[in-house]
């Protein structure tokens, strides 16, 4: 009985030992598997393979080999998930033990990019071998750098590096000492491609219809005035022509589907001017007729006085004394003819689109007072060169009493800062401010202070 109990106890103990040993082995294997497992990393903006190799303590080659990354371009994409090998991974150890390197001495004018080109490697690889930071570009003469490759290629490498330096000096690129040339070249290529795409896009946008005509720009014209002359829109002019920021005199424009001809526009303007001239002529005729009547009446009065002097000598002295007092009242000249407000408004609208120029007084560029002065000078009326003198060009009235062609002022009298021409219906035309062009506005959104009816 005693022997049987001992055997049973020994068998039970042996089983526990085996079970414990197996469990420990399992834990060890699990730990080893965990230690050797690859780490997943999701690429974010500005990540590079070299940055990841520094972060996880592994080689660039092991990351690129595991994830099948092109070892020439080293290209990774934001959002891409990469597998990072463990530090003690056999692949990592193999990279460290099998990669042959040699050293080169940095010479005056060298850069990481030049050395990488001469050694047939990459800038990231040089940083990895020499523990340089991702944003570190500065190297100095006499510094020793590790480069990949066998040592016997060093002499050939130095010759190639010297040739590369000479070519770099001939092309005058000293900035390569402080900046990465590969990034500069990539940025230049991107800019060139962007400009080419923009140019192609602009060319594609040009549309020429079957029914079109051409127009040569003359000094003083604007896109708006040309569009009005041909009955088209400014947008259609831009779509049918490659236009820059400035409309240059002598440029030939394509006009798609014109609904009017400039001759019709000129005829309408001529008709408006003719009407204005007729009104002025009628006013002058009325004034001349009034003066004739006054002269005739004065002559009749003189004849009557002479007759009375001959027939009634006793009262002649009284009549002679009263005649001079009456004569000035009968010879008062009539008021000068007024300018047609409609003609002023029509002429002013021909300059819509002319750019604002500080101090400008010609169709090549206007400021607010230069614009109103130019318009009224066309009708022979001198109103002054800036806002304050223009306040005295006529009779001050309230804004509600303003008529077509009247001047609208902003600011207190004697200190006004803006002037425009009233078009009626709550609208006005003005050269507003720098960066804008002559255009039509509404007093609902920009209320004037007072108005002046030009005499």
């Amino acid at each position: 009985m005693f022997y049987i109990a001992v055997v049973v106890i020994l068998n039970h103990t042996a089983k526990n030992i085996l079970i414990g040993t197996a469990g420990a082995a399992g834990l060890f294997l699990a730990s080893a598997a965990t230690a050797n497992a690859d780490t997943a990393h999701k690429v974010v903006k500005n990540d590079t393979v070299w940055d990841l190799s520094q972060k996880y303590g592994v080689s660039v080659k092991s990351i690129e080999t595991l994830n099948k990354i092109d070892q020439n371009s080293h290209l990774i994409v934001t959002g891409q998930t990469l597998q990072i090998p463990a530090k003690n991974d056999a692949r990592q150890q193999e990279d460290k033990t099998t990669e042959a390197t040699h050293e080169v001495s940095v010479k005056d004018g060298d850069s990481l990019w030049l050395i990488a080109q001469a050694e047939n490697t990459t800038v990231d690889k040089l940083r990895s071998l020499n523990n340089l930071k991702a944003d570190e570009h500065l190297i100095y003469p006499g510094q020793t750098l590790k480069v990949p490759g066998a040592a016997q290629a060093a002499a050939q490498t130095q010759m190639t590096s010297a040739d590369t330096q000479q070519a770099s000096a001939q092309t005058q690129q000293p900035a390569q000492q402080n900046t990465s040339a590969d990034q500069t070249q990539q940025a230049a290529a991107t800019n060139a491609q962007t400009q080419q795409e923009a140019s192609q896009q602009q060319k594609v946008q040009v549309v020429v219809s079957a029914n079109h005509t051409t127009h040569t720009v003359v000094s003083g014209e604007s896109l708006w005035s040309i569009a009005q002359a041909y009955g088209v829109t400014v947008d259609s002019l831009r779509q049918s022509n490659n236009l820059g920021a400035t409309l240059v005199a002598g440029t030939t424009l394509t006009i798609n589907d014109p609904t009017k001809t400039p001759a019709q526009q000129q005829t309408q303007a001529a008709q408006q001017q003719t009407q204005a001239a007729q009104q002025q002529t009628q006013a002058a005729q009325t004034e001349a007729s009034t003066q004739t009547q006054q002269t005739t009446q004065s002559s009749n009065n003189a004849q009557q006085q002479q007759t009375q002097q001959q027939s009634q000598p006793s009262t002649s002295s009284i009549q002679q004394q009263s005649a001079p007092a009456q004569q000035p009242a009968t010879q008062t000249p009539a008021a000068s003819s007024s300018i047609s407000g409609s003609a002023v408004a029509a002429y002013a609208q021909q300059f819509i689109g002319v750019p604002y120029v500080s101090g400008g007084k010609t169709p090549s560029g206007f400021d607010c007072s230069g614009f109103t002065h130019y318009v009224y000078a066309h009708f022979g009326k001198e109103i002054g060169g800036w806002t304050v003198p223009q306040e005295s060009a006529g009779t001050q009235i309230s804004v509600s009493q303003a008529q077509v062609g009247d001047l609208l002022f902003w600011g207190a009298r004697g200190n006004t800062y803006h002037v425009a021409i009233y078009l009626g219906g709550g609208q006005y035309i003005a050269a507003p401010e720098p960066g804008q062009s002559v255009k039509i506005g509404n007093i609902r959104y920009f209320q004037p202070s007072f108005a002046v009816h030009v005499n």
Side-chain angles (χ1 to χ4, degrees):
M1 293 294 293
F2 176 77
Y3 292 107
I4 295 173
V6 170
V7 171
V8 171
I9 292 171
L10 290 174
N11 287 338
H12 182 72
T13 302
K15 289 181 180 179
N16 288 336
I17 293 172
L18 290 174
I19 292 172
T21 302
L27 290 174
F28 176 77
L29 291 175
S31 299
T34 302
N36 292 328
D38 296 337
T39 301
H41 176 88
K42 190 170 184 178
V43 178
V44 298
K45 185 178 180 181
N46 297 327
D47 270 353
T48 65
V49 178
W50 188 86
D51 289 335
L52 299 180
S53 70
Q54 296 298 301
K55 177 179 180 179
Y56 291 99
V58 297
S59 68
V60 171
K61 184 176 180 181
S62 64
I63 297 176
E64 293 180 339
T65 302
L66 179 59
N67 295 275
K68 298 180 179 180
I69 298 172
D70 188 340
Q71 297 186 10
N72 292 320
S73 65
H74 310 286
L75 180 63
I76 57 177
V77 181
T78 301
Q80 179 181 359
T81 300
L82 300 179
Q83 298 298 322
I84 309 299
K87 290 184 180 181
N88 58 351
D89 195 302
R91 293 167 292 191
Q92 175 68 14
Q93 297 298 329
E94 181 181 358
D95 292 339
K96 293 183 178 180
T97 56
T98 59
E99 185 174 19
T101 62
H102 67 277
E103 295 182 345
V104 297
S105 179
V106 178
K107 297 179 177 57
D108 188 22
D110 271 349
S111 67
L112 289 178
W113 185 84
L114 289 174
I115 296 174
Q117 294 297 306
E119 297 292 339
N120 195 25
T121 183
T122 65
V123 173
D124 285 342
K125 187 68 175 179
L126 292 179
R127 290 197 184 104
S128 176
L129 290 175
N130 294 277
N131 296 323
L132 299 176
K133 297 180 181 180
D135 57 351
E136 188 173 352
H137 302 284
L138 183 63
I139 56 177
Y140 53 88
Q143 182 180 358
T144 301
L145 298 178
K146 290 182 180 181
V147 296
Q152 63 266 21
Q156 182 178 0
T157 299
Q158 292 176 358
M159 293 177 60
T160 306
S161 177
D163 293 339
T164 306
Q165 292 174 10
Q166 184 177 2
S168 174
Q170 292 175 353
T171 55
Q172 297 181 355
Q173 295 177 343
Q176 291 178 351
Q177 297 178 1
N178 299 322
T179 59
S180 175
D182 55 345
Q183 294 178 352
T184 304
Q185 291 179 351
Q186 183 178 3
T190 303
N191 291 336
Q193 183 178 1
T194 302
Q195 293 176 357
Q196 183 178 3
E197 291 176 353
S199 177
Q200 291 176 351
Q201 185 177 6
Q202 289 179 354
K203 292 180 180 179
V204 171
Q205 291 178 348
V206 174
V207 178
V208 178
S209 66
N211 177 27
H212 71 275
T213 186
T214 58
H215 174 83
T216 301
V217 179
V218 299
S219 179
E221 285 188 322
S222 65
L223 284 180
W224 188 90
S225 63
I226 295 172
Q228 293 297 304
Y230 286 92
V232 296
T233 64
V234 174
D235 288 340
S236 70
L237 290 179
R238 293 190 182 279
Q239 290 174 0
S240 58
N241 299 275
N242 282 320
L243 297 177
T246 305
L247 186 62
V248 181
T251 303
T252 300
L253 300 180
T254 300
I255 314 294
N256 284 337
D257 302 317
T259 59
K260 293 190 297 187
T261 62
Q264 294 175 347
Q265 187 74 9
Q266 292 173 0
T267 301
Q268 292 177 357
Q271 289 176 351
Q272 292 177 350
Q273 292 178 358
T274 301
Q275 291 176 356
Q278 289 176 351
Q279 292 176 355
Q280 293 177 357
T281 301
Q282 291 175 358
Q285 291 175 350
T286 302
E287 180 180 0
S289 176
T290 302
Q291 290 178 352
T292 301
Q293 292 175 359
Q294 291 175 351
T295 302
T296 302
Q297 184 176 359
S298 177
S299 177
N300 293 335
N301 290 338
Q303 290 177 359
Q304 290 177 1
Q305 289 176 2
Q306 291 176 359
T307 302
Q308 291 175 357
Q309 287 175 358
Q310 294 174 358
S311 60
Q312 298 177 357
S314 61
T315 60
S316 60
S317 60
I318 299 175
Q319 291 176 349
Q320 289 176 355
Q321 292 176 357
S322 62
Q326 295 174 356
Q327 188 173 1
T330 60
Q331 292 181 352
T332 302
S336 61
S337 59
S338 61
I339 301 173
S340 169
S342 299
V344 171
Y347 183 70
Q349 293 180 69
Q350 295 182 17
F351 301 102
I352 292 178
V354 172
Y356 181 96
V357 174
S358 180
K361 298 183 182 298
T362 68
S364 61
F366 288 119
D367 63 10
C368 65
S369 57
F371 172 60
T372 53
H373 178 269
Y374 187 88
V375 171
Y376 269 95
H378 175 77
F379 295 94
K381 180 66 177 179
E382 175 57 46
I383 62 173
W386 57 293
T387 57
V388 174
Q390 290 180 9
E391 296 173 7
S392 302
T395 304
Q396 179 176 337
I397 56 177
S398 65
V399 176
S400 61
Q401 295 175 317
Q403 299 177 2
V404 176
D406 288 349
L407 296 176
L408 300 179
F409 290 89
W410 282 259
R413 186 173 179 85
N415 195 29
T416 51
Y417 59 88
H418 189 55
V419 62
I421 297 174
Y422 188 56
L423 301 179
Q427 293 185 324
Y428 61 86
I429 184 170
E433 60 183 350
Q436 297 188 15
S437 303
V438 174
K439 64 179 182 179
I440 295 175
N442 196 302
I443 62 175
R444 181 185 304 174
Y445 307 108
F446 190 32
Q447 180 66 40
S449 303
F450 63 91
V452 168
H453 180 70
V454 179
N455 297 331

